[in-house]
Amino acid sequence: MEQYEPDRLSAAQVAAMRRSFRNGRASLTRRSLLRASAGGALAVGGAAALTGCGIPAAGKTQGGESADDRSAKEKTVSFSNWTEYMDVDESEKHHPTLNRFTERTGIKVKYTEDINDNVEFFGKIKPQLAAGQDTGRDIIVLTDWLAARLIRLGWVQKLDPSNLPNAYANLSPQFRSPDWDPGRAYSYVWQGISTVIAYNKKALDGVEVKTVSDLLDNPKLKGRVGFLSEMRDSIGMTLLDMGKDPGNFTADDYDAAVARLQKAVDKGQIRRFTGNDYTSDLTSGDFAACVAWAGDVVQLKADSPDIDFIIPDSGYITSTDNMLIPNKARHKENAERLIDYYYEPQAAAELAAYINYVCPVDGVKQELAKIDEDAANNPLIIPDKAMAAKSRAFRSLSSKEETEFEQKFAKLTGA
């Protein structure tokens, strides 16, 4: 495995991170965002340290560094996840799926909701990983682009397939081999995140929306269109609309997509670029249509008959949050058993019924129907074959590309 020194964040990357803090997927919790009427932006003080000199530069690592695995003697596993990203019971004090794992295996789970943003969390664990120390965590959940960086740096352990029979057998085909972790040697998907077009039927008032081009070009929608402040989502959907593959595009393709969006900005077609706060614009009708995250749309549809979505024929962007085992984790086998447990259809179904993101477990529909038939038949939670075939992932970026692309996107959005 080729090793790299960790990249110092550029000004453009910091700007992108701050957008995520203010109004991206990081700004509100996974389920409470739809119950909130506004903001709830996170403080950025902790992440600001990433741009300074307080974190020592990492030395070369050997990759996949394990500690003496204490799993056999210590029946415990430490699991760090995003907030509101696990099923809870009516008391909101217990996690039923985790409790059943403990009952079955005797392994107690120390479950901590201490991830609010990828960059912030990276700043928290970077000093220990760079120094070859245990982070105190056996499983961490990171979005694909940061998971790719940790794998590239050699800061996560290679998984043992013998401890992951369910994960190996049941991972949905669309998630099996990302370019940053071919064959899933180092990671498994926690949940998928689909980017779609959402619309307000009442606000559209008969105007037809089927494509990203409709959003960008139909004069009847002028000033009533929203795009996301997350670069990979807005650029990715635009690339697809232009007939380009987000998994295999050039710098010229990227510039063409930016120019396409810039034209819509200049003529006032796009009202604004938003994070989670598009939900209030959409429900109020300020947005007639927008690029949106499917997990939000599931909840919005449940609350309002005017809200619906479409999947363009050109396709849609899918990203993932992923489970990884950091270097020096002390309970690797226990961690692998927990990862594998969430690829059992029953546990996966119960989780999907609660959080409403794209379930990565193939064959879960029947189990989910026992809990929530509507969820089982919702393609935003369980994509059918036709929808899964339209899924596209945004390719991995080099540090240089990420800096250049984020600079151009920041200029486009006025960030």
Side-chain angles (χ1 to χ4, degrees):
M1 179 186 296
E2 184 178 4
Q3 302 300 322
Y4 297 80
E5 294 286 350
D7 308 311
R8 186 183 180 88
L9 291 179
S10 67
Q13 289 169 314
V14 172
M17 175 271 291
R18 289 182 183 274
R19 286 199 305 276
S20 183
F21 270 119
R22 289 196 303 269
N23 54 23
R25 282 200 302 122
S27 66
L28 294 170
T29 59
R30 299 282 170 150
R31 291 180 63 86
S32 66
L33 66 92
L34 294 165
R35 298 193 293 267
S37 59
L42 297 171
V44 298
L50 287 175
T51 64
C53 299
I55 297 175
K60 300 287 185 180
T61 70
Q62 297 304 310
E65 295 179 2
S66 62
D68 292 333
D69 193 348
R70 305 179 183 181
S71 293
K73 296 180 179 179
E74 298 177 3
K75 295 296 183 179
T76 184
V77 61
S78 179
F79 184 0
S80 282
N81 204 348
W82 295 69
T83 55
E84 306 290 340
Y85 216 14
M86 179 66 74
D87 58 296
V88 297
D89 64 8
E90 292 182 0
S91 73
E92 297 192 359
K93 295 180 180 179
H94 304 287
H95 304 292
T97 56
L98 289 176
N99 289 347
R100 274 195 289 278
F101 174 78
T102 298
E103 291 170 3
R104 181 198 300 180
T105 65
I107 299 170
K108 294 182 179 180
V109 182
K110 180 184 177 184
Y111 184 72
T112 308
E113 296 180 334
D114 60 347
I115 305 177
N116 291 304
D117 176 85
N118 286 289
V119 177
E120 178 194 40
F121 187 70
F122 180 68
K124 186 183 298 185
I125 62 175
K126 176 183 174 183
Q128 295 158 304
L129 290 173
Q133 298 172 352
D134 177 24
T135 66
R137 300 167 176 87
D138 300 306
I139 300 176
I140 55 177
V141 177
L142 300 175
T143 304
D144 42 25
W145 64 267
L146 184 55
R149 172 178 282 198
L150 263 67
I151 291 171
R152 188 184 75 208
L153 292 169
W155 286 358
V156 293
Q157 297 187 53
K158 194 169 185 178
L159 302 172
D160 183 348
S162 67
N163 293 327
L164 296 157
N166 293 301
Y168 181 81
N170 296 336
L171 178 63
S172 295
Q174 73 181 99
F175 300 124
R176 280 197 175 270
S177 195
D179 64 357
W180 48 271
D181 186 17
R184 291 288 176 183
Y186 294 89
S187 69
Y188 268 95
V189 180
W190 177 247
Q191 296 293 295
I193 306 157
S194 297
T195 305
V196 300
I197 295 176
Y199 60 87
N200 184 314
K201 298 175 188 176
K202 186 175 181 180
L204 281 179
D205 193 25
V207 176
E208 188 174 66
V209 172
K210 290 186 176 181
T211 67
V212 170
S213 287
D214 290 333
L215 298 182
L216 295 174
D217 299 330
N218 191 329
K220 294 181 180 179
L221 299 179
K222 183 176 180 178
R224 299 190 297 139
V225 168
F227 273 72
L228 290 168
S229 57
E230 297 289 341
M231 179 268 287
R232 288 167 175 81
D233 295 298
S234 287
I235 295 294
M237 291 293 282
T238 304
L239 285 168
L240 283 167
D241 188 71
M242 297 169 64
K244 302 296 183 179
D245 181 1
N248 184 26
F249 64 90
T250 66
D252 287 344
D253 294 333
Y254 183 90
D255 288 346
V258 170
R260 179 112 168 81
L261 289 169
Q262 186 67 61
K263 182 179 178 181
V265 170
D266 292 343
K267 67 182 181 181
Q269 185 78 6
I270 296 176
R271 184 183 183 95
R272 65 191 184 104
F273 290 83
T274 73
N276 286 128
D277 48 329
Y278 72 80
T279 57
S280 58
D281 288 318
L282 188 62
T283 54
S284 70
D286 288 341
F287 283 167
C290 62
V291 177
W293 289 306
D296 299 349
V297 177
V298 172
Q299 295 300 316
L300 291 174
K301 277 175 57 67
D303 295 336
S304 172
D306 291 328
I307 305 302
D308 213 333
F309 74 99
I310 62 102
I311 302 295
D313 288 341
S314 59
Y316 66 101
I317 294 293
T318 298
S319 55
T320 54
D321 286 333
N322 309 273
M323 295 176 282
L324 306 102
I325 300 176
N327 282 357
K328 298 295 185 178
R330 298 182 180 185
H331 308 101
K332 182 174 183 286
E333 183 176 340
N334 291 347
E336 289 167 337
R337 292 181 68 183
L338 183 56
I339 291 171
D340 194 61
Y341 167 73
Y342 277 103
Y343 276 81
E344 295 179 11
Q346 183 177 352
E350 190 162 353
L351 181 65
Y354 182 79
I355 63 177
N356 294 158
Y357 278 77
V358 179
C359 181
V361 180
D362 203 22
V364 76
K365 184 173 182 177
Q366 184 176 352
E367 286 295 328
L368 184 55
K370 298 175 184 177
I371 304 170
D372 186 336
E373 191 168 349
D374 288 340
N377 292 318
N378 190 331
L380 296 182
I381 300 174
I382 308 293
D384 56 27
K385 289 184 179 179
M387 181 170 172
K390 294 181 180 181
S391 172
R392 298 291 183 271
F394 199 92
R395 71 169 173 83
S396 298
L397 302 178
S398 68
S399 180
K400 181 180 178 181
E401 284 179 322
E402 187 163 359
T403 296
E404 293 177 352
F405 290 176
E406 286 288 6
Q407 284 176 340
K408 293 174 181 178
F409 190 72
K411 183 177 179 181
L412 167 70
T413 61

